[in-house]
Amino acid sequence: MDAETAEPNLRSRRESKTSQSRDTSWKSLFAFTSRPHLLPLCLALLLSIASGAVTPVLSYLLGKVFDCFTRFGAGKYGGTQLVKQVSRYGIGLTGLGVASGLLHTGYFGFWLVFGELQAKCARESLYAGMLEKDMEWYDMRKDGIEALVQRLQTQIRELQTATSQPLGFAMQSTVTAVAALGLAMYTAWDLALVTIATIPFSVIVLGRISAKMQHSIDAQAEELSTASKLANNALQAIDTIKYYNGQDFETWQYARAIKRASGKYLMQAMANALQIGFTRFVTQSMFVQGFWYGSHLVISGKKNPGQVLTAFWSCLMALQAVEQILPQMIVLEKGRAAGATLKAILTQMGKRRRVIMPGHLKPEFCEGDIEVRNVSFCYPSRPDQRALIDASFFFPTGEITFVIGKSGSGKSTLSNLLMRFYDPASGEIFIDGNTVQTLDIGWLRNNITLVQQQSVLFNETIFKNIAFGRRDWDRVRREEVKRSITTALLQDTINELPKGLDTVVGTGGSAMSGGQRQRVAIARAHLRDTPILVLDEATSALDHISKGMVMNAIREWRRGKTTIIITHDLSQIEDHEYAYILDKGLVVQEGYRYALEKGSAGPLAAPRRPSVTYPTASRLPRLPEQTRKHSIATVSSLSRGSAVSVASVDSLNIQYEPRPQSVFAPAIFSPTAGNPRDNRRLYFESFVSPAAAGAFSMHRLSTAPTVFDRPLDEVPQPLEHPDPMLDWPLPPSRRHHVRDLSMVNELHASASDAGRTTVKRKASRFVNRQSKIIPLKTIIPLVENTLIDRRGSDAAAKQRPVAPIKKILLTVWPTLAWKHRSLLLGGFFAASVHAAATPLFSWVFSKLLATFFLPLNRSQEALKWSLSVLAVGGGDAIAVYFMHYLLEACGQAWVDSLRIEAMKRIIEQPRAWFDRDKNGVSKLTECLDRNAEEMKNLVGRFAGFIFVVIVMLLVALAWSLVVCWKLTLVGLASAPFIYIVTRSYQTVSARWESKSNDAGTAAASVFTETFANVRTVRALTLEAYLHEKYLKATEKAFSIGVRRSLYSSIFYGVSDSGIVFATALIFYYGAVLASSRAFTTQSIIQVFSMLLFSIANANAILSFIPQINSSCATATRLLRLANLPYKTSHEHTGHVRVPTVGTIAFEDVNFTYPSRPLGPVLNNMTLSLPAQTSIALVGASGSGKSTIASLILGLYPPTSGTLSFDSVPISDLHLPSLRSLIAVVSQTPQIFATTVAQNIGYALPERSTLASRAAIEHAAEVAGIHDFITSLPRGYQTSIGEGGTGLSGGQAQRVAIARAVARQPLLLILDEATSALDGENARGIRDLVQRLVDEGVGVLMVTHDQEMMAACEDVVVLKDGAVAERGSFDDLVQRNGGELRRLLGGS
């Protein structure tokens, strides 16, 4: 094995060890059973035993009743005696019904409670266990922590479902089987042994089938975890997906993973169907040997018919009890696998070597003296690459110290080590002379505050988010918070909010801009006011003047306290402040700024470039110089290119040199010589029809170089891809027809048609396929306004009703392809055969019973009808197998279609839809994962069973009416009572299932919020608060679950006893009819058999009702997503395709974010952005800079006013083709959980030259990330993102820049794209901007960086959502009283 693959494979083996060694025995169902659970478990078991004994007692009474009728038929009883004896047993049946109702109420309720206890214990144990794990454990999760969290919630649900009514039902059936066999042995042991002679062989066969099923369950769980990971990553990166038209690609990826999981599930379904069919045949084949031998015993006089019937009926009920367990086997097997997996994870947490050893020292005071001595460290995901190498630092008490360096040099690693997220591999860290390993972690983190660049806010009010800075957050006064927001310059923002400090910031702080979130984090740190403060790029999203004012406030606030500032912004460093300079994990320079400026190398070395002098800005007040323990140490040389000095930008004495010659290739976009636009064009051509492309070569709209210069025959044809439901050979490429503005009328009628006829290939069925999901509003009018997402309020979502099963099942046929429709018909045909087999079996069985009072040929007749039963059983077994397997296959196909349709529609929703709380990522992922898994049971398990019962009842009733209509009508008289009770049970159960699901989802949201932001949680020591919050959520879910158990069990018991009462009534009236000689005894016995078998099967539905209701609740949620409006938002109203971006014009544009409580972001904005120019958008945080970029890309429509491209309103433009001309690098770059190469070439057509290895490597070189990539273990094939190699902020930003460059756009939007970059890489981006403009590419740069402003041809300054001033940087910075001058700290 080569070195490149050794490390990932070793890691994979290490992670798979848990699953390979986990215990998957049936005791895994009780993996989370603790001592307090024993009482409800014992009560459940005792009541299961008692309720299981009801069936043998019923069997005994039925045997006695049949014996009475047999004696009457043989002339041994008279009519009066028959009625008297049957009445006596009827009273016994009535008493048994009362007892049965009470026992079933108790057993059912306690098993539901036990399931709730298991779920509660699993939730709390996993939460507590994960809270204690070190960061290495999180880093080493193969699929990333968020995908793991989502999968854990699904497995907890599977364990809960299995350990409630299915486990109780299995226990009861087991007791029934044992008790029935005991009764059979007591009554006629020899007959019982002959009857059950095939059981040992059957157990062996069923055991082997079960073992195969377990393997497929594990494989399916792994595939579903992958699908969940893909969905989670896609929904988190929804902005990036829309920027790069990646919707089809993400849907294709998700669909491929779902199909793999589907294949694994079908293996389970086949095994389970085989189990059920085999058991069915064995059960009914017992009649051959049983009745033959029983007849022999009666003829020989060894046993009377009553004894034989009792023994035989008991054996039959024992086997039927076993048979009734089998439909629950998939649920139980999944619960067993889930319990084993969850317990294995907990065991792994307990046994795994703890990297972070807890200390116990808690000094009374923290002075804040920090020394880092010869520390080396490498991240768990990159064990061969050291982030720090023998690094030494000293941070004295009471001083501000800076740490600077290039991206990936190890700066943030230092903060991670100080917080003890990790321990160093070698060396030591001291705080006040104590090694951090000896210090209590809680004490340490309560004395150090870390503020990171990506400021994490919780879905709480602004007040609470700031109050979280203190351990006693619930005692924080508003006056204290107001002082902190003043320090962070938040007071104006807070005052503009309708609810002020009580405004909820949304998930992740989505209601606030990046700069506002950073200031909330700084306010939180101010309130926390610890002796040590670490700011890791904590002001990167602030404008220059806000940054200066905040730094001024920080200096005043932190006077006399230890402060470490990690930054790229050299302007923040005062002359008498100490700085460490890192490069590739080494401390290459250190010293006071004034001394470092005198050196000959390094980022603070004296500038040597021609200067342009601007008015001097007032300097921030300096702190007195403090004594340092370390003298200045300068390393003679830095890394390649670092000798080029960067001018000091700490004031408006900014020195700039003329732009140097670019260090990049002459053609930025081309890795080879030739016309650079030939390559850039190829990406856009995936959105262009060949005919329209030819039209553009003759009709150009502007003087900008066109991207259509090649002849038509050289245009690569778009790839053709199949429907995602059928096959997956290639990822989808997008293809659209282009409409030239100058030929709108002509192309509308002719060119599009010409394109369709010229190209003899079909458009991608995946992209253009119309939805096959029938609009739910035509199926479920009752919940039309709630399933179809047209309400904006989350309160309405909480009150969403659950759709009835009938209306949900009506969506199956329109959803399926014809292949699966034929399978569905086959499944229901098999169900019809199975349903008809039961009355047929009853008729043959009655013939068997009649042989007991035949005067002659009793043995021959018994053998004949026993063989008839065998024939019926064989046909029935085959029908049962096909019914279960085909319906499971159709249910899986139905849910897969809905999942893919839901995913497709979700990512096509407008951006504002994702801002609502009810559409949070965790909730959507849970719906696609757990909800879909439960939903498929409606077709796979329940629909066929309900259909069989209905058909069976209809056939049995029709047959019974023909044979003995009076007895049948009396039996029907009990139907209204049974219906009312059952319907009430279903209604109550559905209501509480919905409440229970909502409570479980709420608890899961807290779980996800905690561990998705685990670094921030630990840095703020919020473990206790969130743990308490989670315990409250789980306690609420448990409380609702207990009430659900109470109400559901009462109605379940009443429903069960009603069946026994109906049985007693039928027997009594049958005796009356028999005694009157109105019908023959044989006819009455036939009706008895058919009605009792039918009632018994109908009664089995009761045990499924809670699961049916739960599946209906989850189905309602998934159907809502699968029926979301598709391509009806503002993103899909336009149809005009443009070849170039052209001039972008805002005319009186107003805009307010739909879900944000802030006021208007843009106010009557009028702005023109010419093509092929570089423009900087400048303004204070929250002034609308990033909003302009979002509007240009069509993420949101303007609230009012007009946004146009070359005079064409954006509402008329085809946004996918427009976005194909634009590339975006956002301030928070999105890294997908895949390889580096796939990240850079994200969503590019597979056959495009832009996706070639050479093109991707060239883009990486342009972005300055190529050298780092090649240093990784597997180079461009190294996995990054969730579950892969971690990247620093600057490295992630450069990957995002490479992704943008790879597309060869006509407009590049950089939204604070250099905020995480060091000076050298920022210079490379400035050079890139100039080269792009020279190549005819427009650049729109949202920035606070002065040098980036100076690199642009035009600067637009925004204030309060409008243009304050505009001009060149040189002109604006010289303008007295100008807004830019004010922002940069000028007079």
Side-chain angles (χ1 to χ4, degrees):
M1 183 181 297
D2 61 354
E4 289 186 351
T5 59
E7 185 271 327
N9 287 339
L10 177 63
R11 176 178 163 196
S12 177
R13 288 196 300 271
R14 186 167 61 246
E15 288 200 352
S16 64
K17 189 181 295 183
T18 298
S19 61
Q20 292 173 352
S21 61
R22 63 193 175 94
D23 178 16
T24 55
S25 64
W26 287 108
K27 67 180 182 182
S28 299
L29 288 171
F30 304 94
F32 293 91
T33 302
S34 59
R35 188 179 297 273
H37 303 170
L38 293 179
L39 177 60
L41 176 59
C42 290
L43 289 173
L45 286 171
L46 288 174
L47 290 169
S48 294
I49 293 172
S51 60
V54 168
T55 302
V57 175
L58 178 62
S59 176
Y60 172 78
L61 293 174
L62 291 178
K64 292 296 184 180
V65 170
F66 273 104
D67 185 55
C68 292
F69 279 94
T70 302
R71 290 175 180 271
F72 176 78
K76 297 180 180 180
Y77 273 0
T80 304
Q81 191 176 7
L82 173 64
V83 173
K84 181 180 178 180
Q85 290 294 327
V86 171
S87 298
R88 186 158 62 92
Y89 292 126
I91 294 173
L93 284 172
T94 303
L96 182 65
V98 173
S100 176
L102 294 174
L103 292 172
H104 279 79
T105 296
Y107 113 85
F108 193 77
F110 278 111
W111 278 115
L112 288 178
V113 170
F114 180 70
E116 293 289 344
L117 286 169
Q118 294 301 284
K120 184 173 184 287
C121 183
R123 288 172 178 142
E124 294 175 358
S125 298
L126 287 166
Y127 191 92
M130 290 177 66
L131 271 184
E132 294 177 357
K133 294 312 296 177
D134 49 68
M135 290 308 303
E136 179 186 3
W137 186 86
Y138 291 94
D139 291 347
M140 297 302 291
R141 296 309 92 199
K142 182 177 63 174
D143 292 326
I145 190 61
E146 293 196 34
L148 171 66
V149 166
Q150 292 296 333
R151 195 68 205 141
L152 289 178
Q153 302 309 311
T154 300
Q155 289 175 325
I156 289 172
R157 178 65 179 180
E158 289 174 348
L159 176 64
Q160 177 186 359
T161 301
T163 53
S164 52
Q165 65 266 26
L167 181 57
F169 191 70
M171 289 290 184
Q172 184 204 34
S173 298
T174 301
V175 172
T176 298
V178 172
L181 284 176
L183 177 61
M185 295 292 289
Y186 173 77
T187 305
W189 65 268
D190 47 354
L191 175 60
L193 289 177
V194 171
T195 304
I196 64 174
T198 56
I199 286 183
F201 171 74
S202 302
V203 169
I204 295 173
V205 173
L206 293 176
R208 292 182 65 86
I209 296 174
S210 180
K212 292 183 178 181
M213 187 190 301
Q214 185 63 47
H215 175 73
S216 61
I217 287 175
D218 293 339
Q220 185 207 13
E222 185 174 347
E223 295 295 348
L224 285 176
S225 181
T226 300
S228 180
K229 172 185 174 181
L230 291 171
N232 186 74
N233 290 341
L235 297 177
Q236 284 188 327
I238 190 64
D239 286 359
T240 303
I241 288 172
K242 288 181 178 291
Y243 293 157
Y244 294 118
N245 293 312
Q247 295 95 323
D248 296 331
F249 177 75
E250 291 297 335
T251 305
W252 171 79
Q253 278 199 119
Y254 179 74
R256 187 172 57 172
I258 287 297
K259 185 178 180 182
R260 290 196 301 266
S262 174
K264 304 300 182 184
Y265 181 77
L266 290 181
M267 294 171 64
Q268 301 171 41
M270 182 179 295
N272 188 242
L274 191 59
Q275 283 181 325
I276 295 173
F278 177 78
T279 305
R280 187 79 176 178
F281 177 74
V282 170
T283 301
Q284 298 188 353
S285 67
M286 289 168 48
F287 284 84
V288 177
Q289 68 261 30
F291 258 88
W292 173 82
Y293 188 69
S295 178
H296 168 73
L297 291 175
V298 172
I299 293 172
S300 63
K302 294 180 180 179
K303 300 290 181 182
N304 61 48
Q307 290 175 314
V308 171
L309 280 173
T310 299
F312 183 77
W313 199 276
S314 297
C315 290
L316 177 62
M317 285 191 169
L319 267 294
Q320 282 184 331
V322 174
E323 186 181 11
Q324 288 174 351
I325 295 175
L326 294 179
Q328 307 281 0
M329 282 304 296
I330 285 185
V331 178
L332 293 172
E333 290 279 6
K334 283 194 168 186
R336 178 173 73 160
T341 300
L342 295 174
K343 194 65 178 180
I345 290 174
L346 278 178
T347 302
Q348 180 204 40
M349 289 180 187
K351 293 183 177 179
R352 184 182 175 88
R353 177 181 64 88
R354 186 177 177 88
V355 179
I356 303 296
M357 299 303 295
H360 302 285
L361 188 62
K362 297 181 180 180
E364 187 174 355
F365 300 104
C366 178
E367 298 294 337
D369 216 46
I370 303 175
E371 183 178 0
V372 179
R373 187 183 300 169
N374 301 323
V375 164
S376 295
F377 175 75
C378 55
Y379 284 98
S381 59
R382 288 177 285 171
D384 299 329
Q385 189 173 13
R386 289 193 288 178
L388 286 178
I389 305 171
D390 294 327
S392 295
F393 306 85
F394 178 68
F395 305 104
T397 301
E399 291 194 27
I400 295 178
T401 308
F402 286 81
V403 179
I404 59 178
K406 296 195 300 182
S407 303
S409 61
K411 303 183 302 299
S412 296
T413 300
L414 175 63
S415 65
N416 288 332
L417 295 177
L418 289 176
M419 296 299 297
R420 285 207 73 197
F421 293 151
Y422 309 91
D423 273 348
S426 63
E428 292 181 299
I429 301 175
F430 299 88
I431 295 181
D432 295 342
N434 301 305
T435 60
V436 292
Q437 284 83 0
T438 64
L439 294 172
D440 178 79
I441 291 182
W443 181 93
L444 178 75
R445 291 173 182 168
N446 279 312
N447 283 280
I448 303 178
T449 297
L450 172 63
V451 182
Q452 297 174 299
Q453 180 178 5
Q454 305 305 327
S455 303
V456 174
L457 302 184
F458 298 93
N459 191 19
E460 305 279 2
T461 64
I462 295 176
F463 176 85
K464 186 172 285 189
N465 267 284
I466 296 174
F468 281 154
R470 289 247 298 265
R471 296 191 69 179
D472 58 342
W473 61 270
D474 52 337
R475 299 180 182 178
V476 173
R477 292 176 290 122
R478 297 182 81 84
E479 292 74 17
E480 296 175 282
V481 171
K482 288 180 180 178
R483 286 196 293 270
S484 295
I485 66 175
T486 300
T487 300
L489 301 181
L490 262 176
Q491 58 270 38
D492 291 340
T493 300
I494 301 296
N495 292 335
E496 293 174 358
L497 299 175
K499 295 183 179 180
L501 284 171
D502 296 322
T503 302
V504 177
V505 301
T507 303
S510 59
M512 311 190 82
S513 69
Q516 291 164 343
R517 288 195 296 271
Q518 282 192 338
R519 282 183 280 172
V520 170
I522 291 171
R524 183 165 60 198
H526 180 271
L527 182 68
R528 190 174 179 83
D529 199 21
T530 52
I532 301 170
L533 173 67
V534 182
L535 301 176
D536 188 354
E537 296 287 0
T539 59
S540 60
L542 301 182
D543 59 88
H544 186 78
I545 191 168
S546 295
K547 186 182 298 183
M549 294 173 67
V550 168
M551 284 301 301
N552 186 26
I554 289 174
R555 283 188 171 88
E556 291 295 328
W557 155 41
R558 300 298 299 175
R559 192 183 298 274
K561 298 177 183 176
T562 305
T563 305
I564 302 171
I565 300 177
I566 298 170
T567 183
H568 295 301
D569 188 356
L570 306 182
S571 67
Q572 297 181 16
I573 309 175
E574 294 283 343
D575 284 346
H576 291 81
E577 288 176 334
Y578 207 84
Y580 288 92
I581 301 173
L582 288 175
D583 184 55
K584 296 181 179 178
L586 293 166
V587 178
V588 295
Q589 283 186 309
E590 61 174 289
Y592 293 98
R593 173 170 184 151
Y594 70 84
L596 293 176
E597 287 180 341
K598 297 177 182 178
S600 60
L604 291 173
R608 291 187 172 84
R609 291 177 285 180
S611 63
V612 180
T613 303
Y614 298 105
T616 303
S618 58
R619 297 293 300 271
L620 297 173
R622 297 176 183 153
L623 295 175
E625 180 178 346
Q626 303 291 331
T627 303
R628 291 280 176 174
K629 295 185 180 179
H630 288 288
S631 61
I632 300 172
T634 304
V635 177
S636 60
S637 64
L638 299 175
S639 61
R640 177 178 59 85
S642 61
V644 181
S645 61
V646 180
S648 170
V649 289
D650 58 349
S651 72
L652 285 181
N653 290 318
I654 308 171
Q655 298 167 327
Y656 294 95
E657 64 176 347
R659 291 190 181 95
Q661 292 297 318
S662 174
V663 297
F664 303 110
I668 289 294
F669 286 142
S670 178
T672 59
N675 185 353
R677 297 187 187 91
D678 285 347
N679 289 317
R680 182 193 314 153
R681 175 173 59 150
L682 297 180
Y683 174 54
F684 181 66
E685 282 172 348
S686 65
F687 291 86
V688 181
S689 72
F696 274 120
S697 65
M698 298 178 288
H699 300 273
R700 297 182 179 177
L701 302 181
S702 68
T703 58
T706 179
V707 294
F708 303 102
D709 293 328
R710 291 167 63 187
L712 181 60
D713 57 2
E714 295 182 24
V715 177
Q717 299 298 325
L719 302 181
E720 184 175 0
H721 299 286
D723 192 304
M725 313 298 173
L726 302 177
D727 203 359
W728 321 93
L730 293 170
S733 60
R734 284 148 299 283
R735 173 179 175 228
H736 303 272
H737 297 291
V738 175
R739 198 176 293 169
D740 189 333
L741 293 182
S742 64
M743 301 180 65
V744 171
N745 295 329
E746 294 86 353
L747 288 180
H748 182 71
S750 60
S752 296
D753 293 334
R756 284 191 292 270
T757 57
T758 302
V759 183
K760 304 297 183 181
R761 302 184 67 162
K762 295 180 180 178
S764 168
R765 284 183 289 164
F766 177 71
V767 177
N768 298 318
R769 178 174 63 90
Q770 294 297 319
S771 170
K772 294 189 291 185
I773 306 300
I774 187 169
L776 205 58
K777 63 182 180 180
T778 65
I779 294 177
I780 312 179
L782 173 65
V783 289
E784 175 184 0
N785 293 328
T786 54
L787 285 182
I788 302 199
D789 189 23
R790 294 183 179 137
R791 291 188 185 180
S793 76
D794 293 339
K798 293 180 181 178
Q799 300 171 359
R800 184 180 300 117
V802 176
I805 183 173
K806 174 185 174 182
K807 295 183 178 180
I808 292 174
L809 292 178
L810 285 175
T811 66
V812 175
W813 182 264
T815 304
L816 297 178
W818 276 108
K819 172 186 174 182
H820 286 99
R821 287 180 181 180
S822 61
L823 295 180
L824 183 67
L825 293 175
F828 278 106
F829 174 77
S832 301
V833 173
H834 172 50
T838 300
L840 180 61
F841 173 83
S842 302
W843 178 75
V844 176
F845 184 63
S846 67
K847 293 293 186 180
L848 269 175
L849 292 177
T851 61
F852 284 119
F853 47 85
L854 288 177
L856 299 172
N857 300 324
R858 185 177 295 176
S859 297
Q860 293 84 344
E861 288 295 311
L863 179 60
K864 181 181 72 172
W865 292 112
S866 294
L867 292 174
S868 300
V869 167
L870 184 63
V872 172
D876 191 21
I878 295 172
V880 166
Y881 168 79
F882 282 107
M883 178 189 79
H884 282 275
Y885 177 69
L886 294 179
L887 291 182
E888 286 281 13
C890 292
Q892 185 67 47
W894 174 51
V895 168
D896 287 348
S897 297
L898 289 176
R899 272 174 160 158
I900 296 168
E901 190 71 20
M903 185 67 177
K904 183 180 79 172
R905 289 171 181 259
I906 286 171
I907 58 179
E908 289 290 357
Q909 294 308 297
R911 183 62 182 81
W913 186 84
F914 294 90
D915 294 335
R916 303 174 191 166
D917 284 342
K918 68 175 181 177
N919 299 325
V921 172
S922 62
K923 294 178 181 177
L924 294 174
T925 307
E926 180 186 32
C927 188
L928 291 171
D929 187 6
R930 178 177 71 81
N931 291 0
E933 284 300 290
E934 290 191 31
M935 176 182 178
K936 68 184 176 189
N937 291 331
L938 291 176
V939 173
R941 293 178 58 208
F942 306 135
F945 191 66
I946 294 172
F947 176 79
V948 166
V949 169
I950 292 174
V951 173
M952 189 185 301
L953 286 173
L954 292 176
V955 173
L957 288 174
W959 198 329
S960 298
L961 284 171
V962 172
V963 175
C964 183
W965 63 271
K966 286 186 177 181
L967 181 58
T968 305
L969 291 179
V970 170
L972 287 175
S974 61
F977 168 75
I978 295 176
Y979 174 79
I980 292 172
V981 173
T982 305
R983 184 66 177 174
S984 300
Y985 169 44
Q986 190 272 335
T987 302
V988 170
S989 177
R991 178 186 177 191
W992 284 99
E993 281 290 340
S994 180
K995 287 186 176 183
S996 182
N997 281 334
D998 290 341
T1001 299
S1005 297
V1006 181
F1007 198 107
T1008 303
E1009 184 179 36
T1010 300
F1011 296 108
N1013 305 310
V1014 66
R1015 289 178 186 269
T1016 301
V1017 169
R1018 290 185 169 174
L1020 296 173
T1021 61
L1022 288 175
E1023 293 96 333
Y1025 163 74
L1026 288 170
H1027 198 177
E1028 182 181 358
K1029 181 178 179 180
Y1030 186 68
L1031 290 178
K1032 289 180 179 177
T1034 57
E1035 188 62 39
K1036 181 179 179 181
F1038 175 71
S1039 176
I1040 291 175
V1042 170
R1043 281 181 281 172
R1044 172 183 71 114
S1045 305
L1046 174 64
Y1047 296 127
S1048 297
S1049 62
I1050 291 174
F1051 283 93
Y1052 176 74
V1054 174
S1055 300
D1056 184 82
S1057 61
I1059 302 295
V1060 183
F1061 296 153
T1063 302
L1065 176 63
I1066 292 171
F1067 277 136
Y1068 170 75
Y1069 191 69
V1072 172
L1073 289 177
S1075 64
S1076 66
R1077 309 290 181 176
F1079 295 91
T1080 65
T1081 304
Q1082 186 174 357
S1083 298
I1084 292 174
I1085 290 178
Q1086 282 187 37
V1087 174
F1088 280 164
S1089 299
M1090 284 185 283
L1091 291 182
L1092 290 179
F1093 274 107
S1094 300
I1095 289 173
N1097 282 280
N1099 187 41
I1101 291 181
L1102 295 177
S1103 63
F1104 290 121
I1105 284 181
Q1107 296 176 60
I1108 291 174
N1109 288 331
S1110 179
S1111 297
C1112 286
T1114 55
T1116 302
R1117 299 180 184 187
L1118 184 58
L1119 284 169
R1120 177 183 77 90
L1121 298 178
N1123 286 273
L1124 288 170
Y1126 183 60
K1127 293 189 175 181
T1128 59
S1129 69
H1130 72 280
E1131 296 186 23
H1132 303 282
T1133 56
H1135 302 285
V1136 178
R1137 281 105 168 149
V1138 291
T1140 59
V1141 177
T1143 299
I1144 304 172
F1146 292 78
E1147 297 179 11
D1148 298 322
V1149 170
N1150 291 281
F1151 178 73
T1152 302
Y1153 284 100
S1155 62
R1156 295 186 185 179
L1158 306 175
V1161 180
L1162 299 182
N1163 291 297
N1164 296 319
M1165 165 76 72
T1166 298
L1167 174 65
S1168 177
L1169 305 173
Q1172 303 178 46
T1173 58
S1174 55
I1175 301 172
L1177 287 180
V1178 182
S1181 300
S1183 61
K1185 306 182 298 298
S1186 297
T1187 300
I1188 289 177
S1190 296
L1191 294 181
I1192 289 174
L1193 286 154
L1195 292 186
Y1196 301 91
T1199 305
S1200 63
T1202 303
L1203 169 60
S1204 61
F1205 293 75
D1206 271 346
S1207 302
V1208 180
I1210 192 172
S1211 57
D1212 293 339
L1213 292 178
H1214 184 253
L1215 281 181
S1217 58
L1218 175 66
R1219 289 170 179 165
S1220 70
L1221 305 174
I1222 305 173
V1224 184
V1225 181
S1226 60
Q1227 182 177 356
T1228 306
Q1230 181 62 47
I1231 300 299
F1232 295 95
T1234 184
T1235 65
V1236 178
Q1238 290 170 335
N1239 263 281
I1240 296 175
Y1242 175 73
L1244 286 172
E1246 191 175 76
R1247 297 180 185 174
S1248 169
T1249 56
L1250 300 181
S1252 67
R1253 181 181 179 88
I1256 288 174
E1257 289 184 3
H1258 178 72
E1261 289 174 357
V1262 169
I1265 192 70
H1266 175 73
D1267 291 342
F1268 168 75
I1269 295 172
T1270 55
S1271 72
L1272 295 174
R1274 302 186 65 197
Y1276 281 85
Q1277 299 308 311
T1278 302
S1279 294
I1280 56 177
E1282 278 280 338
T1285 299
L1287 302 180
S1288 70
Q1291 291 162 348
Q1293 214 155 34
R1294 282 181 283 163
V1295 170
I1297 292 170
R1299 180 191 298 149
V1301 171
R1303 275 149 184 76
Q1304 302 185 2
L1306 297 181
L1307 173 64
L1308 177 64
I1309 299 178
L1310 302 174
D1311 188 354
E1312 294 288 358
T1314 60
S1315 61
L1317 298 184
D1318 55 90
E1320 179 184 347
N1321 284 293
R1323 280 198 305 277
I1325 301 306
R1326 289 195 294 274
D1327 291 336
L1328 170 64
V1329 169
Q1330 181 57 44
R1331 296 300 302 162
L1332 291 177
V1333 174
D1334 293 343
E1335 291 289 333
V1337 177
V1339 178
L1340 180 62
M1341 184 176 297
V1342 176
T1343 183
H1344 295 305
D1345 185 89
Q1346 299 175 37
E1347 294 194 15
M1348 297 304 293
M1349 299 177 200
C1352 294
E1353 300 169 300
D1354 204 3
V1355 177
V1356 177
V1357 184
L1358 303 180
K1359 182 179 181 181
D1360 298 329
V1363 177
E1365 59 183 5
R1366 181 173 185 170
S1368 69
F1369 178 79
D1370 293 347
D1371 291 341
L1372 294 181
V1373 82
Q1374 298 278 9
R1375 185 177 298 175
N1376 291 327
E1379 181 65 16
L1380 180 62
R1381 186 183 179 89
R1382 186 189 70 80
L1383 286 173
L1384 298 180
S1387 58

